[in-house]
Amino acid sequence: MTLSTDFERVSVALENAFTISRDTQTHAENVIVRITDDGGMTGIGGAAPAPHYGDTPETVEAVLPDLLAVVEEVGDPHALAEIETRMAETVRGNPAARTAVSIALHDLAARRLGVPLHRLWGIDPEAAPRTSYTIGLDTADRVREKTEAAVEAGYPILKIKLGTDRDRELIEAVRSAAPEATIRVDANEAWSPSETVRKSEWLAEYGVEFIEQPVPAENVEGLRVAYERSALPIAADESCVTLPDIPRIADRCDIANLKLMKTGGIREARRMIAAARAHGLEVMLGCMIETNASIAAAAQLAPLVDYADLDGSLLLASDPFTGPDLTGGDVRLEADANGTGVRESEE
Ligand SMILES: [Mg+2]
């Protein structure tokens, strides 16, 4: 079989500038991969490069020709294991680029078989947890307005970015605007272990569900201190990148937050879910700011996890791709949308 491939960089404006403890983003630079079989059927994947993990749009564009050459050489979209292994041998690191190719191949393979990806895996589409909706860092007044808008739009689970000297004021603003919401917080490595313990006590009083990545990933001992003394469960995100990280974090957090853009492929993500379960961890599936070219694939995996944070496309002003309907946070996997269910948006 002959497979043809191409890729294209897209710059998508965000609905609101998005700030976390490290930086602010106004646009998402994603790279879209398309793989077409000789019958004209196309699989679509997306890379959302995160500089924190060494990926930029430029590095993705630089390595994709070599990765797509592997796809064309193997020439079989169902040879997922062989292609993913050979891609990992071809380029070191570069998880976002490898993930984009992995997604496009999985999309194409399931489309060729005429089934949604979750159905190919035998996954119950009804089992996906609701996704949270993220509120970035801002003034307390703006955080309150954004929270009111999210509640108005029907999102019952909110993820609040913290990591400032105004954290208590921000959570107060959120809780007053959303008295019924489930609230999770993400400090993106901004706290010390003792600060985490102290803040966890009043965050618990505001009914927060858990704290994501309070301390820097390199502070391995600090994560253990936070986990052992925190009043709230701890999720590891920056501390949990690929499969070998699972045993390393197993005795120092409650929840492993996996993201396709960190793992380097859908198969690695599935191995990480299994490994996390084997170590007694709960599993969260998160994302970068991504179009539906990649969110649609993450949604297919969502029934395998306990917590979903798949709002990447929801944060865009408009998405060039349509994917699963996440309105109000419910992850709706359509029974008749083959592959990942992604489609090019009508202009
Ligand atoms: Mg996070």
Side-chain angles (χ1 to χ4, degrees), residues 71-89:
V71 172
E72 292 179 17
E73 264 167 51
V74 174
D76 176 1
H78 301 283
L80 298 162
E82 183 187 353
I83 293 173
E84 289 199 4
T85 302
R86 284 185 53 181
M87 285 200 298
E89 290 164 358

Side-chain angles (χ1 to χ4, degrees), residues 159 161 186 188 212-213 237-238 257 259 284 309:
K159 174 162 140 174
K161 293 293 191 180
D186 185 357
N188 287 107
E212 186 177 323
Q213 196 67 41
D237 179 2
E238 286 87 341
N257 183 4
K259 296 177 182 170
M284 172 173 177
D309 179 29

Side-chain angles (χ1 to χ4, degrees), residues 135 138-149 151 158 160 162 166-179 181 183 202 206:
I135 312 274
D138 212 324
T139 63
D141 282 345
R142 282 292 292 145
V143 164
R144 184 178 294 104
E145 286 166 22
K146 287 179 189 171
T147 302
E148 285 165 355
V151 169
L158 303 175
I160 311 302
L162 293 182
R166 303 173 289 115
D167 285 344
R168 192 160 185 156
E169 192 191 344
L170 296 178
I171 218 69
E172 173 74 45
V174 170
R175 186 44 97 200
S176 65
I183 299 177
W202 51 257
Y206 285 100

Side-chain angles (χ1 to χ4, degrees), residues 11 24 39 46 50 54 59 61 111 114 129 151 172 182 207 219 287 314 338:
S11 177
T24 294
T59 62
E61 290 180 304
R111 275 175 203 273
V151 169
E172 173 74 45
T182 296
N219 190 352
C287 63
L314 299 172
N338 291 348

